[in-house]
Amino acid sequence: TGVALFGALSILSWYFILKNFNVITCTCLDKWINILVVVASFAFFYHICTGVRHLIWDTGTMLAKEDIQTTGIFVIIAAIALTCIFWLC
């Protein structure tokens, strides 16, 4: 997710710079840019949640196979919830 965030941030940065200087005048890309922003925000929250998951693993807890699967599902649900809260509030 870190590499995907870097790529999305690069694309978005160039898009907003070019849009600010009126190099890009068509609005046909706006829908795709909006989708990219939402997907990038999900990737950001997923990256944060998996980082917390790894910090928990560094303490030596939740390393059983069942716990790993449970925390994996929890990370996905938490990332979706955080993305929805971020965009809906």
Side-chain angles (χ1 to χ4, degrees), residues 68-89:
I68 291 172
Q69 291 175 344
T70 303
T71 57
I73 293 169
F74 178 75
V75 162
I76 293 171
I77 293 170
I80 291 170
L82 288 170
T83 304
C84 290
I85 290 168
F86 180 75
W87 286 106
L88 298 178
C89 291

Side-chain angles (χ1 to χ4, degrees), residues 6-7 13 15 19-21 25 42 52 61 69-70 75 78 84 87:
F6 176 77
S13 296
Y15 173 77
K19 185 93 168 170
N20 188 37
F21 289 108
T25 56
F42 170 77
V52 171
T61 58
Q69 291 175 344
T70 303
V75 162
C84 290
W87 286 106

Side-chain angles (χ1 to χ4, degrees), residues 18-77:
L18 295 174
K19 185 93 168 170
N20 188 37
F21 289 108
N22 294 325
V23 175
I24 298 176
T25 56
C26 73
T27 58
C28 58
L29 293 176
D30 290 344
K31 180 178 85 170
W32 294 106
I33 293 299
N34 290 340
I35 292 170
L36 180 62
V37 168
V38 172
V39 170
S41 66
F42 170 77
F44 174 75
F45 289 121
Y46 180 80
H47 195 76
I48 288 175
C49 291
T50 55
V52 171
R53 181 182 181 203
H54 279 275
L55 287 174
I56 292 170
W57 288 348
D58 288 342
T59 65
T61 58
M62 299 187 137
L63 293 174
K65 187 175 183 179
E66 297 82 23
D67 293 334
I68 291 172
Q69 291 175 344
T70 303
T71 57
I73 293 169
F74 178 75
V75 162
I76 293 171
I77 293 170

